[in-house]
Amino acid sequence: MRGLLETVAIIVIALLISTALKTWVVRSFYIPSESMMTTLQVDDRVLVNQLAPRFGPANRGDIVVFDDPAHWLSAAETTQYTPNPVLEFIGLAPSDAGNQLIKRVIGVGGDTIECCDGQGRLMVNGESIDETYLDEGTAPSEVEFKVTVPKGHYWVMGDNRGNSADSRYHMDSEPFVSEDDMVGTVFLINWPFNHFSWVSNPEDVFADVPDSQGITGN
């Protein structure tokens, strides 16, 4: 009897720890569209560090998950996700109805982002960047724009620039993502197994970009 109680206690504690981790520390999301191809592919499962926003702002180049800032998602998109309790329990599916988006941070508060220079590259604070995470032949943007990011906000774009309804396509409403809407930073592709890999920040891409005060750094 004592052994049974100990086993039950261990299971309960393990479930509580697992729930706490998924609630406050690490969360799983799936990729529903081609907007981040081929960095992230449709139906990939990724793990997100939810503590990251609490310890400081996201950096240029981070892939982030955030709550829909201003109805970027249509009603059809928010209702198309069907929860899977089993996958949610083991951490391979999100635990909500899909009201979040996933994009790459291109500009942080105070940055000026512009499309494009004479070679078709994005410019951040006047510095052209070579976006090595884009597939060969992918134009950094087919939409011309020049914006300055408000403090406490981000300008985000998908890696599949021709198929991503990102900040560029919400200029008439709210193109910037608030720090308050940040869920976390993607750090691992954990499913399917043949896509298993760490997701790191491409620091070299933004290494020469000055900040809004002219100080170089990411």
Side-chain angles (χ1 to χ4, degrees), residues 8-9 17 20 25 38 42 59 68 95 98 100-101 106 115-116 119-120 131 138 141 143 150 162 176-178 189:
V8 172
I17 293 174
V25 182
T38 57
V42 176
N59 295 313
D68 187 351
S95 56
Q100 289 81 27
L101 299 98
I106 303 299
C115 172
C116 290
Q119 298 180 41
E131 299 181 271
T138 298
S141 180
V143 177
F176 306 108
V177 179
S178 170
I189 302 172

Side-chain angles (χ1 to χ4, degrees), residues 139-200:
S141 180
E142 296 178 354
V143 177
E144 293 186 357
F145 62 89
K146 183 176 182 178
V147 297
T148 297
V149 185
K151 293 294 184 182
H153 290 75
Y154 303 97
W155 176 270
V156 298
M157 299 174 71
D159 287 359
N160 188 0
R161 297 289 161 79
N163 189 16
S164 177
D166 48 42
S167 288
R168 297 169 295 166
Y169 295 93
H170 301 279
M171 298 285 289
D172 58 346
S173 54
E174 179 50 74
F176 306 108
V177 179
S178 170
E179 290 180 354
D180 294 336
D181 290 327
M182 282 290 165
V183 175
T185 303
V186 176
F187 69 93
L188 181 73
I189 302 172
N190 67 322
W191 187 266
F193 287 134
N194 62 325
H195 292 175
F196 187 94
S197 62
W198 295 102
V199 178
S200 58

